[in-house]
Every structure is written in structure tokens, then in C-alpha cells.
Amino acid sequence: MNNTRINPFYQFCLLFVLSVGLMILDNKTSLFQPVKTIGSIVRRPFELVVGIQDLVPQIAEEYYDSSVLREKHERLERDMAVLRAHLQRYDAIKAENERLGRLLSASVESSDEFLLANIVTSNIEPFSHKIVIDRGLESGVFVGQPAVSPDGVLGQITEVGYRRSVVMLLSDVGHGLPVQVLRNGLLTIAVGTGKPDEIRLLYLELEADLRMHDLLVTSGMGNRFPSGYHVGTVTEVLKDTSQPFLNVTVTTSTRANYTKDVLLLWRSAGQAPGDGQEASARGE
């Protein structure tokens, strides 16, 4: 057997010449076009595999990062929504505590007994200003009973049902209340005008010592309203020499449309509420 081997240099030269000849032939003719087409078809699956292999880590990284960010964002939004809800509840509780604190302090400063009630509906019509509260005969409520708010006097009970009562407001034309000027103790009568949150004073002589912004409080006269509760502030004093009395307008301390809680007052043991009422006043 002849084991003579071609010199590697000659092999290289032969392959080089053959390659150059094939390239020239491919460039000048279309002889190898079918082979190139078949080769591209055969090569395509391998190119896809290689491309996917390079693309998979990039896709996985981007998807993982975006999904993690999206999840964190959604979690933060949920946490913020919960915190906002808690904050609203905190504000409501704080406001409620402050309102009840003013109610309780108004009663604790005196020896009056009291019962907490809530306003159910309000009926503000021309010349007739009334509200309905959720207390009645079952709580010991009675006609003529004083009703106050955290800011001052609301009015008095005029109708009593089993679990509902009607309060006539100070601004109702049918309401009258003995009052005094806190600054100097001047006594007079305040009556409703039929206008929301407005009352006027009766029988004050032209020389009466009354000034703008004077604070009026209950005088205790008539033995119905305890003394010292805020009634309103003087907003207008008109002196007409053709009239025997001053024309005085007062804005009530309490605005019924902005009031939620009501205190019903008792002044004597004979008018004190029973055990159920005391429990209600304690919030039981």
C-alpha cells in the first residue's frame, strides 16, 4: 500500500485555488444558487435555536424585573389606600371626640344632668325651624326640655313621641328665651325671626348698654333653661328715635345645619332621667 501523504503546504495551495475558483464561479454564474437555497433552508432552524438561546436570558431578565416592580407598585398602592382609609377614620374619630368633649364639658361645668341625642332630620321652612331627634318618651324626654349643642343653645322640645322628639330652634318665630348680656348682665328676651340662625332682642330701651359682638347667654329666668349657656352674638344694633326700643339682631351660637349631637338637659331631681337615660349619657 502506498502511504505517500501530500505535503500540507500543497494541500493548502490546492484548497485555496479551489476556493477562489468556486467563489469566482459563484460570482459569475448562478450554478450554485440551488445549493445556496437548500443550505439556507437547512441552516434556518439552527439560527433560530441560537437566536432564542441568546434572547431567553434577556427576556427572562426584563420580565422578572418588570413583574417585580409591578408587584411592588401594586403593593404600595394597596398600602397607601389602607393608610388613607385609616387616616380618614382617624380624622372622623378625632372630630367626634372633640365634639363630644365639648358637649360633656358644657354639662360637667354645671350640676345639670343630661342625655345625648342625635339629629334625625331637620325641617327648616320659612318661619318654622325644627329638627327631629332620636330620643322620646322611652328616654324620659318631655315637652319644654332644653336642648343644647357643643356651641350653645339649640332650642327646646315641643313634641314628644315614643322614640322621636321635635326640637323648636331659637330662630323659629314661635320661640322665646330669657337671655342676658355676658359683659354687663343686661336682661332681655330673645325671639326667633324666621331666618336661619338669626334672632332678635325685645324691649331694650334706646339708652341700653349694648354693643356689637356682645355675647348673649341664658339668664336662667323662667326656671327652664340653666343659666350660662351661649345663645348668640350681637351683629346689628339700630337706634330709631321714632321707636321706643332698639332694633337688635343676633346671630345664634349654634348653626343647626352643622350640628349632629344634641344634649337634653334636666335641672332638678324631679326631672332627672331614669337608669336607661343615664346609661345612654355614658354611651352604654
Side-chain angles (χ1 to χ4, degrees), residues 181-257:
V181 179
L182 184 63
R183 177 175 56 85
N184 55 17
L186 178 65
L187 297 174
T188 183
I189 302 294
V191 296
T193 63
K195 300 179 180 179
D197 311 318
E198 182 181 296
I199 56 179
R200 61 189 180 93
L201 303 182
L202 300 180
Y203 313 129
L204 285 176
E205 297 179 353
L206 299 181
E207 295 77 17
D209 182 10
L210 193 67
R211 304 174 186 173
M212 292 285 292
H213 308 300
D214 270 343
L215 176 64
L216 302 178
V217 297
T218 52
S219 65
M221 302 291 289
N223 199 33
R224 174 164 293 180
F225 278 82
S227 62
Y229 285 97
H230 290 192
V231 175
T233 302
V234 175
T235 54
E236 187 178 50
V237 180
L238 298 179
K239 181 182 294 187
D240 185 354
T241 55
S242 65
Q243 301 294 327
F245 303 111
L246 291 174
N247 187 354
V248 182
T249 301
V250 177
T251 298
T252 58
S253 298
T254 296
R255 302 179 65 182
N257 289 337

